[in-house]
Amino acid sequence: MSKLKIVLLSALISIVVIIVILLFFIPLSQTFPASVHLYPYESHKLIFNDTQGSGTEILVMTSGGQVSLSLSSPTGQKIIDNVEVTSSYYYDFNAPETGTYMLCIKNPQTSGAEVTIHIIEERSLISFL
């Protein structure tokens, strides 16, 4: 085999390896932000889709009071159950199954609360295609 063929074959293999790494292994983040004002004893539900095994981060920040968080999987199983948040809360998990998840935020107080939520999903490029 000539040197030119070896160089071209090596370059082709390198390109294929780079494409596979980009498509399957380098995580890309997609952020879903939301802000809500919760009146006394009010609740808000945030619904999002997730893929089994994908890394997901939930960041909740509140000002003006305490809120309670619950996160349910597509089958209704509680992933987070009535966690109290007074300023900020961070939760990192791998989605146990593909489907629709529900984050419920409740204001158990007699005063209002401002809540900011960020749901960050890490996926490979192939899952976006």
Side-chain angles (χ1 to χ4, degrees):
M1 194 180 273
S2 72
K3 289 183 181 180
L4 178 61
K5 287 182 179 178
I6 292 173
V7 169
L8 289 175
L9 184 60
S10 296
L12 181 63
I13 290 171
S14 297
I15 291 170
V16 168
V17 167
I18 289 169
I19 290 171
V20 167
I21 289 171
L22 287 174
L23 288 177
F24 293 99
F25 296 108
I26 296 178
L28 300 172
S29 295
Q30 186 173 11
T31 303
F32 303 97
S35 293
V36 65
H37 175 83
L38 292 177
Y39 291 98
Y41 306 109
E42 184 178 40
S43 65
H44 181 76
K45 293 180 178 141
L46 185 66
I47 297 172
F48 63 97
N49 290 320
D50 210 346
T51 305
Q52 182 178 12
S54 69
T56 303
E57 301 169 11
I58 296 174
L59 175 61
V60 176
M61 295 169 286
T62 181
S63 63
Q66 175 181 325
V67 295
S68 174
L69 297 178
S70 295
L71 176 65
S72 300
S73 73
T75 59
Q77 177 185 6
K78 294 285 185 181
I79 298 171
I80 300 172
D81 193 17
N82 291 322
V83 172
E84 294 179 2
V85 179
T86 54
S87 62
S88 67
Y89 178 75
Y90 174 81
Y91 185 71
D92 185 15
F93 73 103
N94 288 325
E97 54 198 300
T98 298
T100 302
Y101 288 75
M102 183 174 59
L103 179 66
C104 183
I105 304 154
K106 296 178 185 175
N107 181 4
Q109 305 181 105
T110 57
S111 61
E114 298 294 329
V115 183
T116 304
I117 307 130
H118 293 277
I119 297 175
I120 305 158
E121 297 176 1
E122 291 188 4
R123 300 181 182 177
S124 64
L125 182 60
I126 196 72
S127 64
F128 285 110
L129 300 178

